[in-house]
Amino acid sequence: MQKDAFDLQLFLPYLLNQAAEASSLGFARIYKERYGLLRTEWRVLFHLGLYGRMTARDIGAMASIHKTKISRAVQRLEARRYLKRARDDKDRRKEHLELTAKGREVYADLYNEARSYEARLLRNMAAEDVTTLRRLLTALGG
Amino acid sequence: MQKDAFDLQLFLPYLLNQAAEASSLGFARIYKERYGLLRTEWRVLFHLGLYGRMTARDIGAMASIHKTKISRAVQRLEARRYLKRARDDKDRRKEHLELTAKGREVYADLYNEARSYEARLLRNMAAEDVTTLRRLLTALGG
DNA sequence: TGATAATAGTTGTTTTTGTAACCAACAACG
DNA sequence: CGTTGTTGGTTACAAAAACAACTATTATCA
Protein backbone atom coordinates (compact mmCIF):
# COMPACT_ATOMS: atom_id res chain seq x y z
CA MET A 1 0.00 0.00 0.00
CA GLN A 2 2.48 2.59 1.17
CA LYS A 3 6.18 2.10 1.37
CA ASP A 4 6.76 3.06 4.97
CA ALA A 5 4.35 1.29 7.25
CA PHE A 6 2.22 3.39 9.53
CA ASP A 7 1.87 2.00 12.99
CA LEU A 8 -0.55 3.63 15.36
CA GLN A 9 1.97 3.07 18.12
CA LEU A 10 4.32 5.40 16.28
CA PHE A 11 1.82 8.08 15.32
CA LEU A 12 3.13 11.05 17.18
CA PRO A 13 -0.01 12.44 18.78
CA TYR A 14 -0.94 8.96 19.92
CA LEU A 15 2.52 8.16 21.17
CA LEU A 16 2.75 11.43 23.01
CA ASN A 17 -0.55 10.84 24.69
CA GLN A 18 0.44 7.39 25.82
CA ALA A 19 3.75 8.60 27.15
CA ALA A 20 2.16 11.60 28.84
CA GLU A 21 -0.49 9.50 30.47
CA ALA A 22 1.89 6.79 31.61
CA SER A 23 4.43 9.22 32.95
CA SER A 24 1.86 11.37 34.75
CA LEU A 25 0.16 8.52 36.51
CA GLY A 26 2.61 7.93 39.30
CA PHE A 27 2.97 11.58 40.18
CA ALA A 28 -0.76 12.13 39.97
CA ARG A 29 -1.27 9.44 42.58
CA ILE A 30 0.95 11.36 44.96
CA TYR A 31 -0.72 14.75 44.78
CA LYS A 32 -4.12 13.14 44.60
CA GLU A 33 -3.84 10.75 47.49
CA ARG A 34 -1.70 12.93 49.69
CA TYR A 35 -3.50 16.23 49.21
CA GLY A 36 -6.65 15.49 47.23
CA LEU A 37 -5.50 17.78 44.45
CA LEU A 38 -6.71 17.71 40.88
CA ARG A 39 -4.46 18.07 37.89
CA THR A 40 -5.19 21.74 37.33
CA GLU A 41 -4.87 22.44 41.03
CA TRP A 42 -1.44 20.93 41.17
CA ARG A 43 -0.44 23.02 38.18
CA VAL A 44 -1.71 26.26 39.62
CA LEU A 45 0.01 25.47 42.89
CA PHE A 46 3.29 24.91 41.11
CA HIS A 47 3.04 28.07 39.12
CA LEU A 48 2.55 30.09 42.26
CA GLY A 49 5.23 28.18 44.10
CA LEU A 50 7.79 28.57 41.37
CA TYR A 51 7.06 31.98 40.01
CA GLY A 52 5.49 33.67 43.00
CA ARG A 53 2.53 36.01 43.03
CA MET A 54 0.64 36.08 39.76
CA THR A 55 -2.86 36.42 38.39
CA ALA A 56 -5.16 33.70 37.11
CA ARG A 57 -4.85 35.16 33.67
CA ASP A 58 -1.08 34.91 33.70
CA ILE A 59 -1.13 31.31 34.83
CA GLY A 60 -3.58 30.50 32.09
CA ALA A 61 -1.44 32.18 29.47
CA MET A 62 1.70 30.49 30.66
CA ALA A 63 0.25 27.02 30.92
CA SER A 64 -2.40 27.15 28.21
CA ILE A 65 -5.14 26.38 30.67
CA HIS A 66 -8.63 27.74 30.10
CA LYS A 67 -9.73 30.40 32.52
CA THR A 68 -12.74 28.46 33.77
CA LYS A 69 -10.52 25.61 34.84
CA ILE A 70 -8.23 27.99 36.65
CA SER A 71 -11.11 29.77 38.27
CA ARG A 72 -12.32 26.50 39.75
CA ALA A 73 -8.89 25.35 40.76
CA VAL A 74 -8.28 28.64 42.54
CA GLN A 75 -11.58 28.30 44.37
CA ARG A 76 -10.63 24.87 45.68
CA LEU A 77 -7.11 25.87 46.58
CA GLU A 78 -8.46 28.86 48.43
CA ALA A 79 -11.00 26.72 50.26
CA ARG A 80 -8.14 24.60 51.54
CA ARG A 81 -6.23 27.71 52.53
CA TYR A 82 -3.40 26.97 50.12
CA LEU A 83 -3.59 30.38 48.53
CA LYS A 84 -4.99 33.83 49.08
CA ARG A 85 -6.32 36.39 46.67
CA ALA A 86 -5.74 40.12 46.59
CA ARG A 87 -7.42 42.54 44.28
CA ASP A 88 -5.26 44.87 42.26
CA ASP A 89 -5.80 48.47 43.28
CA LYS A 90 -4.96 49.93 39.92
CA ASP A 91 -7.09 47.50 37.94
CA ARG A 92 -9.83 46.11 40.09
CA ARG A 93 -10.62 43.31 37.67
CA LYS A 94 -7.36 41.57 38.44
CA GLU A 95 -6.67 39.32 41.35
CA HIS A 96 -3.17 38.55 42.52
CA LEU A 97 -2.79 35.02 43.79
CA GLU A 98 -0.23 33.96 46.31
CA LEU A 99 0.45 30.81 48.31
CA THR A 100 -0.15 30.81 52.04
CA ALA A 101 2.36 29.26 54.42
CA LYS A 102 0.33 26.07 54.25
CA GLY A 103 0.32 26.21 50.49
CA ARG A 104 4.05 26.68 50.43
CA GLU A 105 4.47 23.61 52.60
CA VAL A 106 2.43 21.51 50.26
CA TYR A 107 4.29 22.96 47.34
CA ALA A 108 7.67 22.22 48.90
CA ASP A 109 6.68 18.64 49.55
CA LEU A 110 5.35 18.10 46.06
CA TYR A 111 8.30 19.86 44.60
CA ASN A 112 10.60 17.27 46.12
CA GLU A 113 8.32 14.50 45.00
CA ALA A 114 8.33 15.88 41.50
CA ARG A 115 12.08 15.92 41.35
CA SER A 116 12.58 12.44 42.66
CA TYR A 117 9.72 11.16 40.55
CA GLU A 118 11.26 12.60 37.44
CA ALA A 119 14.64 11.19 38.40
CA ARG A 120 13.04 7.74 38.60
CA LEU A 121 11.38 8.25 35.24
CA LEU A 122 14.65 9.18 33.62
CA ARG A 123 16.78 6.71 35.53
CA ASN A 124 17.53 4.57 32.51
CA MET A 125 17.83 7.30 29.96
CA ALA A 126 21.14 8.69 28.75
CA ALA A 127 21.75 12.28 29.79
CA GLU A 128 22.09 13.31 26.19
CA ASP A 129 18.76 11.73 25.35
CA VAL A 130 17.08 13.59 28.15
CA THR A 131 18.33 16.87 26.78
CA THR A 132 17.21 15.97 23.31
CA LEU A 133 13.82 14.85 24.55
CA ARG A 134 13.20 18.10 26.39
CA ARG A 135 14.27 20.12 23.41
CA LEU A 136 12.00 18.27 21.01
CA LEU A 137 9.01 18.29 23.32
CA THR A 138 9.42 21.98 23.89
CA ALA A 139 9.47 22.52 20.16
CA LEU A 140 6.29 20.51 19.76
CA GLY A 141 4.36 21.74 22.71
CA GLY A 142 5.53 25.18 23.69
CA MET B 1 18.29 26.72 46.89
CA GLN B 2 19.17 23.80 44.68
CA LYS B 3 21.98 23.72 42.23
CA ASP B 4 20.08 22.73 39.11
CA ALA B 5 17.03 24.87 38.73
CA PHE B 6 13.72 23.12 38.35
CA ASP B 7 11.47 24.68 35.79
CA LEU B 8 7.92 23.46 35.52
CA GLN B 9 8.25 23.84 31.77
CA LEU B 10 10.92 21.17 31.85
CA PHE B 11 9.25 18.75 34.25
CA LEU B 12 8.72 15.74 32.09
CA PRO B 13 5.11 14.79 32.87
CA TYR B 14 4.13 18.41 32.41
CA LEU B 15 6.12 18.84 29.24
CA LEU B 16 4.73 15.64 27.80
CA ASN B 17 1.20 16.68 28.54
CA GLN B 18 1.68 20.04 26.91
CA ALA B 19 3.23 18.50 23.84
CA ALA B 20 0.59 15.79 23.66
CA GLU B 21 -2.23 18.26 23.95
CA ALA B 22 -0.79 20.70 21.47
CA SER B 23 0.01 18.04 18.92
CA SER B 24 -3.33 16.28 19.24
CA LEU B 25 -5.41 19.37 18.79
CA GLY B 26 -5.18 19.77 15.06
CA PHE B 27 -5.87 16.17 14.28
CA ALA B 28 -8.72 16.06 16.79
CA ARG B 29 -10.39 18.90 14.94
CA ILE B 30 -10.36 16.83 11.78
CA TYR B 31 -11.97 13.67 13.07
CA LYS B 32 -14.31 15.66 15.25
CA GLU B 33 -15.57 18.11 12.70
CA ARG B 34 -15.52 15.79 9.74
CA TYR B 35 -17.05 12.71 11.36
CA GLY B 36 -18.19 13.74 14.82
CA LEU B 37 -15.87 11.23 16.40
CA LEU B 38 -14.61 11.30 19.95
CA ARG B 39 -11.04 10.56 20.93
CA THR B 40 -11.69 7.00 21.99
CA GLU B 41 -13.82 6.40 18.91
CA TRP B 42 -11.05 7.48 16.62
CA ARG B 43 -8.67 5.20 18.45
CA VAL B 44 -10.93 2.18 18.25
CA LEU B 45 -11.52 2.86 14.58
CA PHE B 46 -7.80 2.96 13.94
CA HIS B 47 -7.13 -0.22 15.81
CA LEU B 48 -9.70 -2.05 13.74
CA GLY B 49 -8.52 -0.42 10.55
CA LEU B 50 -4.88 -1.18 11.13
CA TYR B 51 -5.00 -4.54 12.83
CA GLY B 52 -8.26 -5.95 11.52
CA ARG B 53 -10.87 -7.88 13.42
CA MET B 54 -10.33 -7.82 17.17
CA THR B 55 -12.26 -7.78 20.42
CA ALA B 56 -12.94 -4.85 22.71
CA ARG B 57 -10.74 -6.45 25.30
CA ASP B 58 -7.80 -6.66 22.93
CA ILE B 59 -8.11 -3.05 21.91
CA GLY B 60 -8.24 -2.05 25.53
CA ALA B 61 -5.15 -4.06 26.36
CA MET B 62 -3.25 -2.73 23.39
CA ALA B 63 -4.13 0.91 23.92
CA SER B 64 -4.54 1.02 27.69
CA ILE B 65 -8.10 2.20 27.41
CA HIS B 66 -10.63 1.25 30.05
CA LYS B 67 -13.30 -1.18 28.97
CA THR B 68 -16.20 1.14 29.74
CA LYS B 69 -14.78 3.74 27.43
CA ILE B 70 -14.38 1.17 24.70
CA SER B 71 -17.85 -0.20 25.25
CA ARG B 72 -19.36 3.19 24.69
CA ALA B 73 -17.14 4.00 21.76
CA VAL B 74 -18.14 0.73 20.12
CA GLN B 75 -21.80 1.53 20.66
CA ARG B 76 -21.47 4.84 18.91
CA LEU B 77 -19.38 3.47 16.09
CA GLU B 78 -21.93 0.73 15.60
CA ALA B 79 -24.79 3.23 15.63
CA ARG B 80 -23.07 5.03 12.76
CA ARG B 81 -22.58 1.74 10.96
CA TYR B 82 -18.81 2.06 11.07
CA LEU B 83 -18.36 -1.37 12.60
CA LYS B 84 -20.21 -4.58 13.21
CA ARG B 85 -20.06 -7.05 16.04
CA ALA B 86 -19.99 -10.82 15.94
CA ARG B 87 -20.17 -13.09 18.92
CA ASP B 88 -17.52 -15.71 19.26
CA ASP B 89 -18.99 -19.19 19.03
CA LYS B 90 -16.42 -20.85 21.20
CA ASP B 91 -16.56 -18.21 23.94
CA ARG B 92 -19.84 -16.43 23.90
CA ARG B 93 -18.61 -13.63 26.13
CA LYS B 94 -16.39 -12.32 23.42
CA GLU B 95 -17.39 -10.07 20.58
CA HIS B 96 -15.31 -9.72 17.48
CA LEU B 97 -15.37 -6.23 16.07
CA GLU B 98 -14.83 -5.39 12.46
CA LEU B 99 -15.14 -2.29 10.32
CA THR B 100 -17.91 -2.08 7.76
CA ALA B 101 -17.25 -0.77 4.27
CA LYS B 102 -18.36 2.62 5.49
CA GLY B 103 -16.07 2.36 8.47
CA ARG B 104 -13.18 1.46 6.24
CA GLU B 105 -13.82 4.52 4.11
CA VAL B 106 -13.72 6.77 7.12
CA TYR B 107 -10.64 5.01 8.33
CA ALA B 108 -8.90 5.38 5.00
CA ASP B 109 -9.64 9.07 4.93
CA LEU B 110 -8.45 9.66 8.47
CA TYR B 111 -5.46 7.50 7.85
CA ASN B 112 -4.31 9.84 5.14
CA GLU B 113 -5.06 12.83 7.28
CA ALA B 114 -3.04 11.33 10.11
CA ARG B 115 -0.05 10.84 7.89
CA SER B 116 -0.06 14.28 6.43
CA TYR B 117 -0.81 15.80 9.80
CA GLU B 118 2.14 14.06 11.31
CA ALA B 119 4.32 15.10 8.43
CA ARG B 120 3.37 18.71 9.11
CA LEU B 121 4.13 18.28 12.78
CA LEU B 122 7.57 16.91 12.05
CA ARG B 123 8.30 19.17 9.12
CA ASN B 124 11.02 21.06 10.91
CA MET B 125 12.52 18.21 12.83
CA ALA B 126 15.65 16.40 11.75
CA ALA B 127 15.05 12.80 10.70
CA GLU B 128 17.44 11.58 13.33
CA ASP B 129 15.61 13.52 16.01
CA VAL B 130 12.33 12.00 14.95
CA THR B 131 13.75 8.53 15.37
CA THR B 132 15.15 9.41 18.75
CA LEU B 133 11.90 10.99 19.85
CA ARG B 134 9.89 7.91 18.94
CA ARG B 135 12.34 5.66 20.69
CA LEU B 136 12.30 7.67 23.89
CA LEU B 137 8.55 8.10 23.95
CA THR B 138 8.06 4.41 23.41
CA ALA B 139 10.38 3.70 26.30
CA LEU B 140 8.40 6.06 28.51
CA GLY B 141 4.93 5.19 27.48
CA GLY B 142 4.81 1.68 26.19
C1' DT C 1 -20.63 -31.98 39.99
C1' DG C 2 -21.00 -27.60 42.10
C1' DA C 3 -19.13 -23.70 44.47
C1' DT C 4 -15.93 -19.96 43.68
C1' DA C 5 -13.44 -17.12 41.01
C1' DA C 6 -12.25 -14.91 36.71
C1' DT C 7 -13.34 -12.71 32.25
C1' DA C 8 -15.97 -9.91 28.54
C1' DG C 9 -18.79 -6.53 28.30
C1' DT C 10 -22.66 -3.21 29.88
C1' DT C 11 -25.09 0.13 32.73
C1' DG C 12 -25.64 3.70 36.34
C1' DT C 13 -23.89 7.37 39.12
C1' DT C 14 -20.67 10.74 40.34
C1' DT C 15 -16.71 13.88 38.99
C1' DT C 16 -14.50 16.73 35.67
C1' DT C 17 -14.35 19.07 31.67
C1' DG C 18 -15.94 22.02 27.79
C1' DT C 19 -18.70 25.68 26.05
C1' DA C 20 -21.33 29.55 26.26
C1' DA C 21 -23.27 33.18 28.53
C1' DC C 22 -22.62 36.36 31.92
C1' DC C 23 -20.93 40.45 35.25
C1' DA C 24 -17.95 44.00 36.50
C1' DA C 25 -14.19 46.99 35.50
C1' DC C 26 -11.48 49.27 32.26
C1' DA C 27 -10.05 51.21 27.39
C1' DA C 28 -10.76 53.63 23.12
C1' DC C 29 -12.63 56.84 20.46
C1' DG C 30 -16.36 59.55 18.40
C1' DC D 1 -18.73 62.37 28.56
C1' DG D 2 -21.08 58.06 26.49
C1' DT D 3 -21.27 54.26 23.60
C1' DT D 4 -18.82 50.29 22.03
C1' DG D 5 -15.41 46.96 22.67
C1' DT D 6 -12.14 44.37 25.54
C1' DT D 7 -10.44 42.09 29.56
C1' DG D 8 -10.36 39.34 34.07
C1' DG D 9 -12.98 36.41 36.20
C1' DT D 10 -17.36 33.64 37.55
C1' DT D 11 -21.44 30.83 36.83
C1' DA D 12 -24.66 27.56 34.48
C1' DC D 13 -25.54 23.92 31.64
C1' DA D 14 -24.15 20.18 28.50
C1' DA D 15 -20.65 16.70 27.24
C1' DA D 16 -17.32 13.43 28.58
C1' DA D 17 -14.60 10.74 31.74
C1' DA D 18 -13.90 7.98 36.09
C1' DC D 19 -15.46 4.64 39.09
C1' DA D 20 -18.31 1.15 40.91
C1' DA D 21 -21.68 -2.24 40.49
C1' DC D 22 -23.89 -5.38 37.53
C1' DT D 23 -25.03 -9.57 33.99
C1' DA D 24 -23.64 -13.40 31.49
C1' DT D 25 -20.42 -16.74 30.38
C1' DT D 26 -16.40 -19.58 31.09
C1' DA D 27 -12.51 -21.48 34.05
C1' DT D 28 -10.78 -23.73 38.25
C1' DC D 29 -10.58 -27.12 41.36
C1' DA D 30 -12.15 -29.46 45.63
Side-chain angles (χ1 to χ4, degrees):
Chain A
M1 230 30 147
Q2 66 284 331
K3 66 173 195 282
D4 51 327
F6 176 86
D7 185 346
L8 184 52
Q9 311 291 333
L10 295 180
F11 181 48
L12 208 69
Y14 182 87
L15 190 48
L16 279 166
N17 268 294
Q18 297 290 106
E21 213 162 294
S23 72
S24 296
L25 212 73
F27 185 60
R29 263 229 328 267
I30 296 174
Y31 63 67
K32 213 165 168 180
E33 290 182 359
R34 197 174 297 177
Y35 299 106
L37 293 177
L38 262 30
R39 214 172 63 121
T40 309
E41 290 164 23
W42 157 70
R43 288 185 173 194
V44 168
L45 187 84
F46 262 57
H47 274 83
L48 295 175
L50 275 166
Y51 310 122
R53 180 183 168 91
M54 57 196 300
T55 70
R57 194 214 149 269
D58 293 335
I59 298 175
M62 191 175 270
S64 313
I65 303 176
H66 195 270
K67 58 184 182 170
T68 61
K69 265 170 137 180
I70 299 196
S71 173
R72 291 195 256 244
V74 167
Q75 283 177 44
R76 296 191 31 148
L77 289 171
E78 188 191 27
R80 282 162 209 227
R81 308 280 185 266
Y82 288 176
L83 65 75
K84 57 186 199 304
R85 313 157 105 129
R87 245 184 221 290
D88 185 307
D89 287 327
K90 298 268 170 56
D91 184 344
R92 303 206 6 267
R93 290 170 301 185
K94 292 185 190 166
E95 256 180 0
H96 298 282
L97 306 172
E98 200 169 2
L99 294 186
T100 60
K102 194 174 166 190
R104 281 194 300 276
E105 268 176 44
V106 174
Y107 164 70
D109 180 41
L110 288 179
Y111 176 93
N112 289 324
E113 289 294 342
R115 303 200 98 202
S116 67
Y117 180 76
E118 184 175 59
R120 275 199 304 286
L121 270 184
L122 298 176
R123 197 173 35 195
N124 296 318
M125 202 174 279
E128 196 195 326
D129 280 348
V130 175
T131 307
T132 305
L133 181 59
R134 287 223 175 87
R135 173 172 56 81
L136 298 176
L137 290 177
T138 302
L140 283 169
Chain B
M1 227 37 142
Q2 64 283 331
K3 66 173 196 281
D4 50 330
F6 176 87
D7 186 346
L8 185 51
Q9 312 290 334
L10 294 179
F11 181 47
L12 209 71
Y14 183 87
L15 190 49
L16 279 166
N17 269 294
Q18 296 291 107
E21 214 162 293
S23 72
S24 296
L25 212 75
F27 185 60
R29 264 229 327 267
I30 297 174
Y31 63 68
K32 211 166 170 179
E33 289 182 0
R34 197 175 296 177
Y35 299 106
L37 292 177
L38 262 28
R39 214 172 63 121
T40 308
E41 291 164 22
W42 156 73
R43 287 185 174 196
V44 167
L45 187 85
F46 263 57
H47 273 83
L48 294 175
L50 275 166
Y51 310 123
R53 177 184 169 91
M54 57 196 300
T55 69
R57 195 213 148 268
D58 293 335
I59 298 174
M62 189 174 270
S64 312
I65 303 176
H66 195 272
K67 58 185 182 171
T68 61
K69 265 168 137 179
I70 298 195
S71 173
R72 283 169 168 133
V74 167
Q75 285 176 42
R76 295 190 32 149
L77 290 171
E78 188 190 28
R80 280 163 211 228
R81 309 280 185 266
Y82 287 176
L83 65 76
K84 57 187 201 300
R85 313 155 106 132
R87 252 199 205 279
D88 184 308
D89 287 326
K90 298 269 167 58
D91 184 342
R92 307 209 359 271
R93 289 169 303 185
K94 292 184 190 166
E95 257 182 359
H96 297 283
L97 305 172
E98 202 168 3
L99 293 186
T100 61
K102 193 173 167 192
R104 280 193 300 276
E105 269 176 43
V106 174
Y107 165 69
D109 179 41
L110 289 180
Y111 175 93
N112 289 325
E113 289 294 341
R115 303 202 100 201
S116 68
Y117 180 75
E118 185 175 58
R120 275 200 305 285
L121 270 184
L122 298 176
R123 199 173 33 194
N124 295 319
M125 202 173 279
E128 196 196 326
D129 279 348
V130 175
T131 307
T132 305
L133 181 59
R134 287 223 175 86
R135 173 172 58 80
L136 298 177
L137 290 177
T138 302
L140 282 170

